[in-house]
Amino acid sequence: MSTTLTSSLDTLPVELIHRIFTNLDEQTIILSLRYVCKRLYMIVNVYDCYKLNFESILKFNFDRICQFIQPTNVISLTLSDQHITPGQIQLFFSLFRIEHFTRLSSLTLIDIEDRYLKQILKHVKNCTLISLSIKQKDIYNRSKTTNHLLSTILKQPSLQKLTINVLEDGTDMLCWPMQCTISHLTLFDCYSNHFSIIFHHSSCLRTLFIDYCNLIDYDEPIIKITNLVPMQQLISLTMENASLDMDKIEIILSNTPALVHLRLIGDIDRIDFPWEKFIQTKLLKLNKFDFFLTKKVDIDYRSINIRRLITLFQTVFWLEIKHWFVTCELIRHVPRDFRHLDDEIRLYSIPPIDRHFEYHPDSNRIIFSTLTEMNNDTTMMDHIHSVYLETKEIMAATTKKQNSTSITRLFHQVSDLNIRIDSTWTIDCVHLISTLIDLSQIKKLELVDKFPQDSSQIMTTNVLKILEQACHVRSLIIIIPWLVITDTKIINQLCSMIPSHIKHLEIDVGSMNHIKIILQRLDHLSSVVFRYINGKPTWQTTIIEWLSDRRDLTYCKESYELYIWLGTEKMNMSQQHRTGRKRIKLTDHYTDS
C-alpha cells in the first residue's frame, strides 16, 4: 500500500498536486503533507497559492505555520481576534509586514480594532483585492482616516466581494462610488437609511446578505424608504437576525423584480402579509423562498387564528406550482421567575432554515403545517445545528404526559447546545435531554445555571452526566453567577469534570485564586475567557504576569473579562523547539521517497 502511494507521488505532475492542494486546508498541507516524503516537502515549500485561515487555529499550530510561510506565496488571509484567538492580529503583524503580501487577493479581518485596521488598510489599498471582509470590534470608534481608506478601496475596479459593518446613523461617512463593481455585498447592522445608498451605488450587485437588519423604528420617528432605484440585476437577497417592518419590506422587494432567491429570518410586525399576491405581481422570477418569521403576541392577540393563517399557504400556488411548504406554530411560553412572557407565533418554510432552534415541547405549542405528517419526519430537523432549551419546560411537559418515553430523538446533527437550567435540573432531565438530542455530536455546550448556591452538588453531578455523553465538545461556556462567591472546593470539582478534549472555556470567577486553579488544573485548554463582575482592575495585569512566566500567550482585556489564547508551556518550549529542528533536519536527509 505504501509502495503504491510513494510511486504515485513520484510520478504525479506537480500541477496536479497543486490542484489537490486547492481542496485542502493549509494546516493539512504545511503541518502534515509536508512531512510525508522529500518530494512533497519540496513541493509544499514552493507552492505559491496559500489561503491562510487562522480563525479557529491552535496557537501552537499558528506559530508553526508563521515560521514556515513566505508572504509572497499567500493569496488569501483570514485573521481573527475573537474569543478563541484574542490578540492574534497584533501578533501576526509583529511577525510580518502587510506590504510584503504583494499577491493578496482576499483579506478577512474579524473583530479587529480600529488602530490595527487603519495600519493594514494603508497598505492593502495598493493590492488588487477581489474580496475584502471586515468585522470591526469598535465600529463606533472608527476613525476618519479608516473611513477614507475604506472609501478608497471601494473604488478599486478589482473588488467584487465586500463584507463590512455600517453605522445606524450613517456617520461612518463611507463614500460609495457611483459605479461600484461589487457583485456580492454583506452588511452587518443595516438600518432603513442604508437601503437608499445600496440601491443607488450598486449597479453590479448580484447578491445582498444583511445580518442584523433593523427596519422597525422603535421609539423613533418613522424613517421612510423612498427614492429607491430598481435593482434589475439583484438575484439573491438575505436578511437574517432581522426586525422587519412589512411596509418597508414591500417597498424594497418591489424594487428587486429579478430576485430568484429570497431568505428572511427574524421578527415581523405583520404575520398575515399577503405573500401569494405580492410574489405573483412583483417577484415573478422567484423560485426559492426561505423564511422563519416570528411575532410576539400577548394574551389579547390570541384571537388570531393560526388555523386560518395556514390556509393562506394551502393554495394551488404554494402546493402545486411552487411546491413550497409552510408550518405555523403558536408557542405558549412557560412563565419563568413569576414574570409574564409573551407568547410567540412562528411562521416558517419547510425544511426550517434557521440553523438555531428554540425547542418547546408539544404540550406548549399548537402547530399546523401544509406538509402531511411533518411531525413524523425527524429528518426535517437534521439541518438544525444550534438548539436552545429550558429544563423547566421539558420537565413540565413530561410530568403532564406522565410518560418519559414520549420524548423521542428529534435532533441528530446539533453541534451547539444551550441549556437554561432551573430548579427542575434532575437526573431524569439529563436523560430526557440525551434522548431528545444526540449529545455525541455536540461541539459547543453552554450551560446557564439559575440555581441558588446551595444546589452546587446537583449542578456538578448533572454537568458531569452531560459531559460524559457529550464526548466531542471542544467549547464549554459555563454561566453560573454564584461561582464568583463560591469557595475553591467547587472550582476544583468543576475542573475535575472538564475532560481534555475541551479546548475553549468561558467561566465566571470570583478571585485570582480561582483563575490560577483553572489554568493549572486545565493545562489542555487552548483559550479561556474569565468573567469577574466584582474583580479588581489589577487582576488582569497580575494574572498575565503570573501566566507569562509559564505559558506562551496572547490576550485581550475588557472591563470585566479577560481573554487568553494559550500556547506552549514555557518549560517545554526549548525542548519542543529542538524536536522541531531535528524533525526538519531528518526530512532534509531523505534519500528515498
Side-chain angles (χ1 to χ4, degrees):
M1 184 68 179
S2 59
T3 304
T4 303
L5 175 61
T6 300
S7 177
S8 299
L9 291 174
D10 271 339
T11 58
L12 199 64
V14 173
E15 293 79 9
L16 288 182
I17 295 179
H18 284 178
R19 180 65 64 87
I20 294 173
F21 283 1
T22 62
N23 296 304
L24 299 174
D25 64 87
E26 270 52 36
Q27 292 191 58
T28 299
I29 297 171
I30 298 170
L31 304 181
S32 297
L33 282 180
R34 185 168 176 248
Y35 297 103
V36 169
C37 65
K38 185 175 181 179
R39 185 165 188 256
L40 273 181
Y41 181 83
M42 300 302 297
I43 292 173
V44 169
N45 283 352
V46 299
Y47 183 57
D48 64 353
C49 291
Y50 283 107
K51 299 177 181 179
L52 301 180
N53 187 342
F54 294 136
E55 184 175 356
S56 58
I57 192 173
L58 298 177
K59 190 176 186 304
F60 175 64
N61 288 339
F62 173 86
D63 293 336
R64 293 175 66 195
I65 291 177
C66 287
Q67 289 173 1
F68 162 80
I69 205 70
Q70 296 296 319
T72 54
N73 291 338
V74 179
I75 62 172
S76 176
L77 178 62
T78 297
L79 299 170
S80 173
D81 272 352
Q82 292 186 101
H83 293 178
I84 59 175
T85 55
Q88 182 189 97
I89 295 177
Q90 181 182 8
L91 174 60
F92 185 83
F93 288 110
S94 70
L95 302 172
F96 299 100
R97 296 174 65 89
I98 185 62
E99 59 266 33
H100 292 165
F101 291 82
T102 56
R103 299 179 57 246
L104 202 62
S105 62
S106 175
L107 177 62
T108 299
L109 304 168
I110 303 171
D111 281 359
I112 186 171
E113 295 182 21
D114 187 76
R115 53 179 171 159
Y116 301 127
L117 178 59
K118 182 165 48 180
Q119 295 302 315
I120 294 170
L121 293 178
K122 285 180 180 178
H123 297 286
V124 299
K125 69 177 182 179
N126 299 318
C127 294
T128 308
L129 286 178
I130 296 174
S131 174
L132 176 63
S133 178
I134 299 171
K135 189 173 183 181
Q136 198 168 345
K137 181 181 296 184
D138 50 350
I139 177 64
Y140 285 95
N141 292 322
R142 184 186 287 170
S143 65
K144 292 182 179 179
T145 301
T146 301
N147 284 322
H148 174 72
L149 292 167
L150 283 170
S151 299
T152 301
I153 293 175
L154 290 178
K155 298 175 183 178
Q156 290 186 356
S158 62
L159 191 63
Q160 298 177 18
K161 186 176 182 180
L162 175 68
T163 299
I164 196 170
N165 306 77
V166 290
L167 291 177
E168 175 181 0
D169 56 7
T171 55
D172 45 39
M173 300 299 290
L174 290 179
C175 297
W176 293 76
M178 288 304 298
Q179 299 299 324
C180 186
T181 60
I182 296 170
S183 57
H184 306 281
L185 177 62
T186 298
L187 298 178
F188 297 105
D189 304 310
C190 187
Y191 294 80
S192 301
N193 55 313
H194 290 115
F195 282 87
S196 178
I197 298 173
I198 297 170
F199 277 59
H200 277 81
H201 296 271
S202 305
S203 59
C204 297
L205 196 62
R206 301 277 290 169
T207 65
L208 175 60
F209 183 102
I210 301 174
D211 198 4
Y212 296 100
C213 178
N214 189 353
L215 298 180
I216 298 180
D217 306 300
Y218 298 103
D219 302 323
E220 296 288 342
I222 296 176
I223 300 176
K224 296 182 179 180
I225 298 179
T226 57
N227 301 322
L228 295 185
V229 176
M231 298 185 69
Q232 303 288 350
Q233 75 291 344
L234 189 70
I235 62 172
S236 177
L237 173 61
T238 297
M239 298 183 188
E240 295 188 356
N241 298 303
S243 297
L244 302 177
D245 180 325
M246 289 311 301
D247 289 338
K248 294 178 182 178
I249 287 292
E250 186 171 0
I251 295 172
I252 293 169
L253 296 181
S254 296
N255 285 278
T256 57
L259 275 187
V260 175
H261 177 212
L262 174 62
R263 174 181 292 228
L264 301 174
I265 301 176
D267 300 326
I268 193 171
D269 65 338
R270 289 174 54 194
I271 201 69
D272 54 352
F273 184 79
W275 282 111
E276 180 175 334
K277 179 180 178 181
F278 183 79
I279 293 171
Q280 288 182 314
T281 56
K282 300 294 185 179
L283 301 176
L284 299 178
K285 297 183 179 180
L286 192 69
N287 63 27
K288 188 175 183 181
F289 182 24
D290 302 321
F291 56 91
F292 198 111
L293 305 173
T294 60
K295 179 172 178 57
K296 299 292 185 182
V297 293
D298 58 30
I299 193 169
D300 297 327
Y301 201 91
R302 289 185 186 172
S303 58
I304 189 168
N305 190 323
I306 64 170
R307 185 188 293 273
R308 185 165 60 244
L309 182 60
I310 200 66
T311 61
L312 299 176
F313 304 94
Q314 292 175 324
T315 65
V316 172
F317 171 80
W318 289 90
L319 301 179
E320 299 181 19
I321 297 177
K322 293 297 188 179
H323 299 285
W324 293 341
F325 300 99
V326 177
T327 292
C328 184
E329 299 180 2
L330 174 61
I331 306 296
R332 290 173 170 165
H333 290 285
V334 175
R336 65 171 77 130
D337 303 330
F338 304 103
R339 292 183 290 116
H340 171 69
L341 278 183
D342 290 337
D343 290 346
E344 179 180 68
I345 296 177
R346 294 176 177 174
L347 186 69
Y348 54 89
S349 55
I350 298 296
I353 58 167
D354 192 350
R355 294 163 67 89
H356 174 75
F357 195 86
E358 291 191 10
Y359 174 75
H360 300 282
D362 291 341
S363 61
N364 296 334
R365 65 178 180 166
I366 302 172
I367 180 171
F368 295 100
S369 177
T370 63
L371 185 64
T372 306
E373 298 181 353
M374 184 204 69
N375 289 334
N376 294 327
D377 188 5
T378 57
T379 61
M380 284 296 183
M381 307 305 288
D382 281 352
H383 76 291
I384 298 292
H385 287 187
S386 174
V387 169
Y388 168 89
L389 56 82
E390 299 181 8
T391 60
K392 187 173 185 177
E393 284 194 352
I394 292 178
M395 293 301 294
T398 305
T399 301
K400 184 178 296 186
K401 293 181 179 181
Q402 296 296 317
N403 183 7
S404 61
T405 61
S406 61
I407 295 183
T408 58
R409 178 62 51 82
L410 183 60
F411 302 101
H412 297 268
Q413 304 295 333
V414 171
S415 59
D416 294 3
L417 175 59
N418 185 322
I419 303 176
R420 188 185 189 279
I421 305 163
D422 52 34
S423 57
T424 55
W425 179 240
T426 65
I427 293 294
D428 287 341
C429 189
V430 173
H431 172 71
L432 293 173
I433 292 172
S434 65
T435 303
L436 178 70
I437 299 171
D438 184 358
L439 295 179
S440 68
Q441 299 296 316
I442 302 298
K443 301 294 190 298
K444 178 181 178 181
L445 177 62
E446 181 170 343
L447 303 172
V448 183
D449 192 351
K450 299 300 180 182
F451 266 4
Q453 184 182 1
D454 57 10
S455 60
S456 60
Q457 188 58 52
I458 301 174
M459 182 274 298
T460 53
T461 300
N462 291 326
V463 169
L464 179 60
K465 291 293 183 182
I466 289 284
L467 290 175
E468 285 176 349
Q469 298 182 65
C471 54
H472 292 108
V473 169
R474 289 184 60 84
S475 179
L476 177 61
I477 301 171
I478 301 175
I479 301 177
I480 306 178
W482 54 258
L483 274 180
V484 300
I485 57 174
T486 193
D487 56 30
T488 57
K489 178 181 177 181
I490 300 300
I491 297 297
N492 273 297
Q493 270 189 298
L494 279 174
C495 288
S496 66
M497 295 188 304
I498 297 176
S500 60
H501 55 75
I502 290 178
K503 300 303 180 184
H504 175 74
L505 175 67
E506 297 184 27
I507 191 169
D508 299 281
V509 292
S511 69
M512 284 196 295
N513 195 30
H514 288 179
I515 297 176
K516 289 181 178 181
I517 290 172
I518 292 169
L519 291 170
Q520 289 173 325
R521 293 283 306 274
L522 305 178
D523 57 1
H524 52 80
L525 293 176
S526 62
S527 59
V528 60
V529 178
F530 295 112
R531 295 183 298 268
Y532 39 88
I533 301 301
N534 300 321
K536 299 178 181 179
T538 55
W539 280 16
Q540 295 176 327
T541 301
T542 304
I543 286 297
I544 291 301
E545 289 177 352
W546 172 83
L547 185 59
S548 294
D549 291 334
R550 293 161 174 80
R551 298 282 294 270
D552 177 39
L553 61 89
T554 61
Y555 63 92
C556 177
K557 298 187 293 185
E558 294 186 4
S559 298
Y560 299 104
E561 293 175 318
L562 177 62
Y563 309 89
I564 307 176
W565 191 25
L566 294 160
T568 312
E569 291 186 25
K570 287 197 170 179
M571 60 182 178
N572 294 326
M573 287 180 66
S574 58
Q575 179 182 354
Q576 292 188 6
H577 179 63
R578 288 194 300 272
T579 303
R581 291 183 60 187
K582 184 177 180 181
R583 187 178 189 185
I584 295 174
K585 184 176 181 180
L586 287 173
T587 57
D588 285 339
H589 282 79
Y590 279 133
T591 56
D592 315 301
S593 300

